[in-house]
Amino acid sequence: MSIRHGLLALLERGPRYGSRLRTEFEERTGSTWPLNIGQVYTTLGRMERDGMVVQEGEDAAGRVLYALTPAGRAELRAWFARPVERASPPRDELAIKLAMAVGTPGVDIRQVVEAQRRHVTDALHEYVRQRAQVLSQAPARTDEVARLLVLEQLICHTEAEIRWLEHCETRLLRLTVAKEGGGRTESRAP
């Protein structure tokens, strides 16, 4: 998600100042995507330049309020209507790390896979714990529901990563057995 579109969505609820946008963004994403205040104000400046937001006075504390323009509202609606593009191929640091570990002298790729699996399993337990905590309070506010959706997305991605790591381990084992068995290559899917 772009920061720009996230801020536009928050501004749909009414004028906001920068630090409030930052706080609401982090609450809405379950604190999984922390923003620094500089990112917020840089993005607001670009959106103002592009005609998507305008400064709309100040609040009682003297903080500049930003509001959506019709162009900003149209951009937000267009964003919600568009599917999220998947990068092809995705640049995933773990996939690159494992690809580089294969054949690198002194690197035991099975240890790399196992270290990652332990780390991801710990993360999965934490996400499940947080989800249980959210569900124990019967989420009613939109921020609570949004946090639940983000946690469930993290759980699904983490479970998929664990399955992929298991697949990698199986593939490596089969290739090792095939290599030790006289150089036969594997022709079956895992």
Side-chain angles (χ1 to χ4, degrees):
M1 172 178 101
S2 75
I3 295 169
R4 176 176 70 157
H5 291 106
L7 298 180
L8 288 173
L10 293 170
L11 287 169
E12 179 67 37
R13 300 167 82 183
R16 303 277 195 277
Y17 53 89
S19 60
R20 181 171 176 194
L21 285 167
R22 175 182 174 234
T23 299
E24 289 181 11
F25 184 95
E26 290 179 357
E27 286 173 355
R28 184 68 59 89
T29 61
S31 298
T32 59
W33 191 343
L35 293 180
N36 75 47
I37 197 65
Q39 287 176 291
V40 172
Y41 281 108
T42 298
T43 304
L44 287 169
R46 288 184 188 136
M47 290 191 306
E48 186 175 17
R49 176 199 67 203
D50 297 340
M52 289 187 246
V53 300
V54 293
Q55 292 185 20
E56 191 175 272
E58 298 178 349
D59 68 0
R63 295 174 290 220
V64 175
L65 296 172
Y66 292 85
L68 275 182
T69 64
R73 194 165 278 113
E75 174 62 23
L76 179 62
R77 296 291 170 242
W79 178 62
F80 280 131
R82 279 190 309 267
V84 174
E85 291 293 325
R86 297 290 178 215
S88 63
R91 292 183 181 179
D92 182 288
E93 184 178 351
L94 177 58
I96 293 168
K97 185 178 189 177
L98 292 182
M100 295 300 150
V102 172
T104 300
V107 176
D108 183 342
I109 191 165
R110 287 187 196 97
Q111 288 178 355
V112 175
V113 169
E114 183 55 34
Q116 185 68 26
R117 184 185 5 252
R118 280 192 307 271
H119 172 74
V120 174
T121 300
D122 290 345
L124 178 60
H125 291 304
E126 179 59 21
Y127 298 146
V128 169
R129 185 195 65 72
Q130 289 179 29
R131 179 181 63 184
Q133 181 182 14
V134 170
L135 288 172
S136 72
Q137 300 166 3
R141 295 188 351 245
T142 56
D143 290 349
E144 294 167 338
V145 173
R147 181 169 185 242
L148 179 62
L149 293 176
V150 170
L151 283 168
E152 289 174 336
Q153 185 263 357
L154 290 169
I155 289 168
C156 288
H157 276 269
T158 306
E159 289 171 339
E161 186 172 315
I162 290 169
R163 284 192 309 275
W164 181 68
L165 288 167
E166 289 169 354
H167 169 81
C168 289
E169 189 172 59
T170 300
R171 173 69 68 199
L172 291 166
L173 179 62
R174 287 181 180 172
L175 290 172
T176 301
V177 168
K179 185 177 179 181
E180 292 170 357
R184 293 188 320 261
T185 57
E186 179 185 4
S187 60
R188 297 179 315 232

